[in-house]
Amino acid sequence: MSGNLAKIDTRTKRDDEEICHDDSATPVKAQTIDELHSLQMKKSAPSTPIKGGGAGSARSSFDSAVSDQDHRNKQQLQSISASLASLTRETGPKVVKGDPASTRKAAETPKLSSHHATATATPTPNISDSSLKFTHILYNLSPAELYEQAIKYEKGSFITSSGALATLSGAKTGRSPRDKRVVKDESTAKELWWGKGSPNIEMDEQTFLVNRERAVDYLCSLDKVFVNDQYLNWDPNHRIKVRIVSARAYHSLFMHNMCIRPTPEELEDFGTPDFTIYNSGQFPCNRYTHYMTSSTSIDINLARREMVILGTQYAGEMKKGLFSLMHYLMPKRQILSLHSGCNMGKDGDVALFFGLSGTGKTTLSTDHNRYLIGDDEHCWSENGVSNIEGGCYAKCIDLVREKEPDIWNAIKFGTVVENVVFDEHTREVDYSDRSVSENTRAAYPIEYIPNAKIPCVGPHPKNVILLACDAFGVLPPVSKLSLAQTMYHFISGYTALVAGTEDGIKEPQATFSACFGAAFIMLHPTKYAAMLAEKMKKHGATGWLVNTGWSGGRYGSGNRIKLAYTRKIIDAIHSGSLLNADYSKTEVFGLEIPTVVEGVPSEILDPVNTWSDKKAYNDNLLNLGGLFKRNFEVFLNHKIGTDNKLAEEILAAGPRF
Ligand SMILES: Nc1ncnc2c1ncn2[C@@H]1O[C@H](COP(=O)(O)OP(=O)(O)O)[C@@H](O)[C@H]1O
Ligand SMILES: C=C(OP(=O)(O)O)C(=O)O
Ligand SMILES: [Ca+2]
Ligand SMILES: [Mn+2]
């Protein structure tokens, strides 16, 4: 012993204590480092409690619980093998659970062979090399396990100083809408929206199968694939079971966060999924394949209930692909699917926040004074609203703690941050750095927001807030809408952002995206609009248009409206005080604007006041009005609902000059 003071030992000395230890714990019972390591990890507790009889039958009920467990395990592996089956070889791969690199589990490999029980000792003539190997399945891994996989095997994976997993999505840092294809068959030809303006670019069944085979063969050729079995939609009556097969831990953790996470008990009874994604990530499509115009392809087959991703690793494709699915499935059940955020006040008043990417759905629905139901995808049924997802996907460019504390604090262990730049030593993220992408993102489970409402459901909405980030600076910060105006702006789906902010001033780019989500809708926009009108009328919801964009001039001369002011405006909508304010009507768009909003300088409420160059204001206003008119032309010959009166009212609710 080397210390200054001898240890005081009050015990009487025994023979085996001749040598003086510097701790009093019993030594570990391991002879080698591997044995020591095996002591470190204990088996996960069985999730199904051992059911059955009294003390006498304890042993046999334990045995039957074990065989139940075995049986379920086998079924699970069979189901995964079936998901991964090549359609031409008509048999699934031999699958086994666990990491091939883990020695403990690898030892079990041969015994756990699956479904492919016909595998014989001597290969039959038509057997392929692919059926000689096992595909290792990393099934619903925990965030900690996925961190280890990502850090060990995926370049660009690091732990940030706050504990989040920083990842790179590769060459694509955003969605590829031009590479999205939907299978056109007899029924989808009639049901879906095709042609000009539609996001649904057709592909035939045969081409889908070619891409599916390519994805499946790629995935099965890997040593291991990730499989997530999860849910969509918090409404228990309309819950959808999804399976995501992917090549990267990043994708598995992203979907773990974004979809609803089953409990261990729910997972045991998961059964056959309603929909399956095959995400081959970096593996490209074959450009000689019909309909392919790049090496990226995102293919949806509604009849087969499958989606294939080739040639992009941007994780948002999976989230938004499932959203497209919901835009098809839910309206069939008279449920409206919405590209909106949603929150609820202490008194149960629900607000929806519609808007295109970057207009503020996530930021404004994440409100410290209200319960968060969800930030992006919802359903509105006869029973109220429900979130489709189990997580949020926040933009984090220029994120600052003071302005968005809840989002800042959610970026911790378990959260995936995509394409952010961090200090090589401290691993502190620099949210202002655009070196990798402008579209930096954080994906976190919704319960990381302290006042999330779990389960994520709520009553019928009281306010429907349409967000537009108007880089022309002519739309008022807030206006109250009639039902017809709400429909006009919902169908128009306007925003104007400025693409790249780096190479000097650029022209604001007007975007019109029907239902504030044209990239994800499956049916004609008027179908969703008619459902929204019907629901808003029935439940007495008020529509609002909020400009989260420019004021005092267009992009380049004016400034973006302060987030603090927009929050005050939203507060006044929630509290009901804005409903009873004094209003005046604007030129051209005919919008009702309040004269006073608490906490907001009154002079900014009418945008004309904030422009020093009145002629420039007028030119920009008329220009925008013209863009709206031109965009709406394609909807002129469509009926909305059963009532032609509504269609006429909606048309009359647009700009006039
Ligand atoms: N007045 C404002 N209102 C809303 N967001 C604003 C405002 N000013 C700046 N922002 C920023 O704009 C972005 C809005 O993005 P986000 O809420 O993620 O959009 P969405 O969820 O609709 O895609 C955030 O980065 C937010 O900080
Ligand atoms: C994730 C997306 O949505 P948002 O920007 O609306 O959050 C997206 O459009 O890819
Ligand atoms: Ca979105
Ligand atoms: Mn968002």
Side-chain angles (χ1 to χ4, degrees):
M1 192 123 119
S2 59
N4 298 334
L5 291 168
K7 232 182 186 170
I8 297 167
D9 193 346
T10 55
R11 295 172 301 169
T12 46
K13 265 199 168 156
R14 292 197 327 241
D15 287 357
D16 60 323
E17 284 177 324
E18 284 300 86
I19 305 154
C20 191
H21 298 283
D22 60 0
D23 64 47
S24 51
T26 48
V28 288
K29 299 187 212 75
Q31 302 294 313
T32 66
I33 187 75
D34 285 337
E35 278 179 42
L36 186 60
H37 171 63
S38 75
L39 291 175
Q40 177 183 34
M41 269 196 237
K42 70 176 206 238
K43 272 240 170 286
S44 290
S47 46
T48 312
I50 296 165
K51 297 169 204 139
S57 62
R59 208 193 127 72
S60 63
S61 72
F62 176 79
D63 286 345
S64 78
V66 168
S67 76
D68 269 10
Q69 190 81 31
D70 270 0
H71 179 67
R72 265 196 294 259
N73 241 320
K74 219 165 162 181
Q75 276 188 326
Q76 222 172 42
L77 285 171
Q78 270 178 13
S79 157
I80 293 169
S81 177
S83 286
L84 281 167
S86 149
L87 296 172
T88 51
R89 289 186 289 275
E90 284 170 4
T91 171
K94 293 187 281 192
V95 295
V96 60
K97 272 199 202 171
D99 185 346
S102 142
T103 45
R104 184 167 60 88
K105 285 175 180 164
E108 297 167 1
T109 301
K111 277 178 279 166
L112 276 177
S113 69
S114 72
H115 184 217
H116 200 94
T118 50
T120 48
T122 40
T124 55
N126 61 356
I127 208 162
S128 70
D129 281 344
S130 63
S131 63
L132 295 175
K133 71 179 269 293
F134 280 90
T135 302
H136 286 252
I137 305 295
L138 300 183
Y139 184 70
N140 276 32
L141 295 197
S142 67
E145 292 173 303
L146 291 168
Y147 265 56
E148 289 163 3
Q149 289 288 328
I151 288 162
K152 265 191 223 163
Y153 303 110
E154 293 170 19
K155 240 193 154 87
S157 302
F158 294 92
I159 302 181
T160 72
S161 61
S162 73
L165 181 71
T167 64
L168 289 175
S169 69
K172 297 279 162 73
T173 61
R175 282 181 298 103
S176 311
R178 265 170 255 104
D179 296 315
K180 190 175 147 196
R181 301 286 177 274
V182 180
V183 173
K184 192 173 192 175
D185 55 25
E186 226 175 279
S187 59
T188 57
K190 281 179 264 162
E191 289 175 307
L192 305 193
W193 177 28
W194 301 100
K196 193 170 172 272
S198 151
N200 305 314
I201 309 172
E202 70 175 272
M203 99 191 296
D204 59 34
E205 166 87 8
Q206 184 61 28
T207 309
F208 177 86
L209 295 180
V210 170
N211 280 359
R212 183 198 189 274
E213 195 79 343
R214 191 170 171 91
V216 163
D217 279 347
Y218 168 71
L219 290 165
C220 290
S221 76
L222 301 172
D223 287 340
K224 61 187 177 202
V225 295
F226 297 87
V227 176
N228 290 35
D229 278 349
Q230 297 188 254
Y231 298 120
L232 299 178
N233 198 357
W234 285 85
D235 177 347
N237 297 324
H238 301 285
R239 194 163 82 169
I240 304 295
K241 296 190 281 183
V242 287
R243 171 168 293 166
I244 301 107
V245 187
S246 61
R248 288 188 63 179
Y250 149 50
H251 290 148
S252 186
L253 183 58
F254 178 90
M255 293 310 268
H256 171 89
N257 290 349
M258 293 310 301
C259 295
I260 299 169
R261 292 159 288 284
T263 63
E265 290 75 23
E266 287 172 327
L267 198 57
E268 284 186 357
D269 298 324
F270 194 82
T272 309
D274 301 315
F275 194 84
T276 304
I277 296 180
Y278 299 97
N279 186 352
S280 302
Q282 60 171 3
F283 195 71
C285 64
N286 183 337
R287 292 199 57 178
Y288 290 114
T289 312
H290 192 27
Y291 295 105
M292 298 300 106
T293 48
S294 82
S295 55
T296 300
S297 193
I298 300 111
D299 312 324
I300 297 180
N301 186 329
L302 293 167
R304 288 191 57 86
R305 301 156 168 266
E306 289 176 343
M307 171 161 125
V308 168
I309 299 175
L310 290 158
T312 172
Q313 299 182 74
Y314 181 65
E317 292 294 358
M318 295 183 283
K319 161 199 160 69
K320 282 289 165 39
L322 293 176
F323 193 32
S324 299
L325 169 73
M326 294 301 273
H327 271 310
Y328 173 71
L329 293 180
M330 293 300 117
K332 274 180 178 295
R333 307 180 185 194
Q334 316 310 318
I335 296 168
L336 176 58
S337 44
L338 313 160
H339 185 210
S340 77
C342 180
N343 68 17
M344 186 177 89
K346 304 223 158 42
D347 302 327
D349 63 296
V350 166
L352 296 175
F353 300 81
F354 287 95
L356 294 176
S357 187
T359 56
K361 294 180 300 297
T362 303
T363 300
L364 298 170
S365 56
T366 308
D367 180 334
H368 213 70
N369 299 312
R370 294 171 65 83
Y371 299 109
L372 178 64
I373 292 178
D375 79 320
D376 198 57
E377 305 176 6
H378 291 84
C379 288
W380 188 351
S381 77
E382 272 305 291
N383 304 317
V385 289
S386 61
N387 188 354
I388 289 174
E389 303 180 289
C392 303
Y393 194 31
K395 275 189 174 289
C396 38
I397 202 72
D398 296 327
L399 182 66
V400 271
R401 173 186 257 151
E402 292 68 32
K403 287 186 193 162
E404 299 182 72
D406 287 344
I407 293 174
W408 180 281
N409 291 328
I411 303 179
K412 58 182 182 185
F413 179 80
T415 297
V416 178
V417 278
E418 290 174 329
N419 303 319
V420 295
V421 174
F422 47 84
D423 182 281
E424 63 174 345
H425 172 56
T426 64
R427 299 286 197 257
E428 251 161 64
V429 176
D430 177 356
Y431 290 109
S432 69
D433 196 317
R434 292 157 158 79
S435 307
V436 181
S437 174
E438 177 95 18
N439 186 29
T440 54
R441 293 275 185 160
Y444 45 87
I446 191 164
E447 61 269 18
Y448 280 18
I449 298 298
N451 46 1
K453 159 107 182 40
I454 312 284
C456 303
V457 295
H460 295 288
K462 183 174 145 197
N463 290 299
V464 171
I465 302 168
L466 310 182
L467 304 171
C469 178
D470 176 26
F472 293 105
V474 295
L475 288 183
V478 59
S479 36
K480 188 172 74 177
L481 305 175
S482 66
L483 185 63
Q485 281 178 318
T486 309
M487 290 309 121
Y488 181 85
H489 286 278
F490 179 71
I491 294 169
S492 297
Y494 163 74
T495 202
L497 299 165
V498 185
T501 44
E502 271 153 50
D503 333 313
I505 298 165
K506 286 200 179 141
E507 287 291 291
Q509 199 69 51
T511 309
F512 292 92
S513 178
C515 310
F516 291 102
F520 326 116
I521 60 178
M522 284 269 165
L523 315 178
H524 195 270
T526 52
K527 298 251 169 65
Y528 303 96
M531 284 177 84
L532 182 63
E534 189 259 323
K535 285 182 186 298
M536 284 184 68
K537 211 156 142 184
K538 183 166 173 189
H539 302 288
T542 307
W544 305 87
L545 181 65
V546 171
N547 175 11
T548 61
W550 270 255
S551 171
R554 59 141 96 194
Y555 174 84
S557 56
N559 289 300
R560 194 157 179 192
I561 295 167
K562 283 193 170 71
L563 178 56
Y565 292 159
T566 302
R567 287 204 192 278
K568 288 285 178 200
I569 287 167
I570 301 290
D571 287 347
I573 293 173
H574 292 319
S575 76
S577 68
L578 208 54
L579 199 57
N580 306 312
D582 289 331
Y583 283 90
S584 63
K585 211 177 188 121
T586 68
E587 297 287 314
V588 181
F589 280 91
L591 295 166
E592 298 272 351
I593 54 173
T595 47
V596 181
V597 179
E598 201 192 310
V600 181
S602 293
E603 62 274 16
I604 75 164
L605 295 175
D606 189 344
V608 69
N609 298 333
T610 63
W611 286 61
S612 49
D613 184 345
K614 305 293 179 206
K615 185 183 175 301
Y617 168 77
N618 222 46
D619 290 349
N620 275 281
L621 181 63
L622 290 171
N623 173 53
L624 184 61
L627 295 175
F628 265 84
K629 277 194 168 180
R630 214 164 313 141
N631 172 69
F632 213 83
E633 278 165 14
V634 292
F635 300 109
L636 292 185
N637 302 320
H638 280 276
K639 259 175 71 177
I640 295 164
T642 47
D643 205 343
N644 229 358
K645 213 177 116 234
L646 181 63
E648 278 159 26
E649 277 174 26
I650 292 172
L651 189 59
R656 284 175 191 237
F657 51 96

